[in-house]
Amino acid sequence: MSVAFRRESDEEHKEPKFELPLPAGPNLVTARGLALTEAKVIELEAAVAAESEEEPREVLKRELRYWKTRRATAQIAPEPEDGVAGIGSRVRIRLAGKERVIDIVGHDEADPAADRIAFSAPLAHALIGGWEGERVDFGGKAEAIEILAVEAIPPA
């Protein structure tokens, strides 16, 4: 039989497993975001220890490496000035005639369906540095957003 048809194992023909991608830029978080990250690390460490099969354990270990990196690089964002939108702010806005309440948070804490957006999102970027009563540009439109109120996100 030709050497071309021999292979040592199936492992050499599997797709490579890459690490989970990290968001670019600093890992700014709220105090709640840091607590959520720590809880995720603890949860995954327990899951890895409990998993007896190799393949699912490797998947869990990969996710654990991501969260440990996020924990190690986390920086609690400085509190914004009173009435000024920043990371850790709850901002009530009027956009296209509709009122909406947005929480500006870190990447891993973001949940757009719950109006918790990452500080790097275009909407958050437009709001950061804005104050109550100000109108800010968004989506190529001048003064598209009216900032109605800014307060600290209440503790969970």
Side-chain angles (χ1 to χ4, degrees), residues 24-83:
N27 183 14
L28 298 174
V29 299
T30 63
R32 177 183 181 272
L34 184 58
L36 290 172
T37 299
E38 183 61 40
K40 189 70 173 177
V41 168
I42 291 167
E43 173 191 326
L44 286 167
E45 286 174 337
V48 167
E51 183 57 58
S52 60
E53 294 185 32
E54 185 63 29
E55 193 167 323
R57 186 171 48 249
E58 289 305 315
V59 170
L60 290 168
K61 285 172 138 179
R62 176 178 178 231
E63 190 174 352
L64 179 58
R65 287 190 300 273
Y66 171 87
W67 286 102
K68 281 186 170 183
T69 300
R70 297 303 282 170
R71 179 181 64 184
T73 60
Q75 304 169 31
I76 294 190
E79 288 189 30
E81 296 176 41
D82 284 344

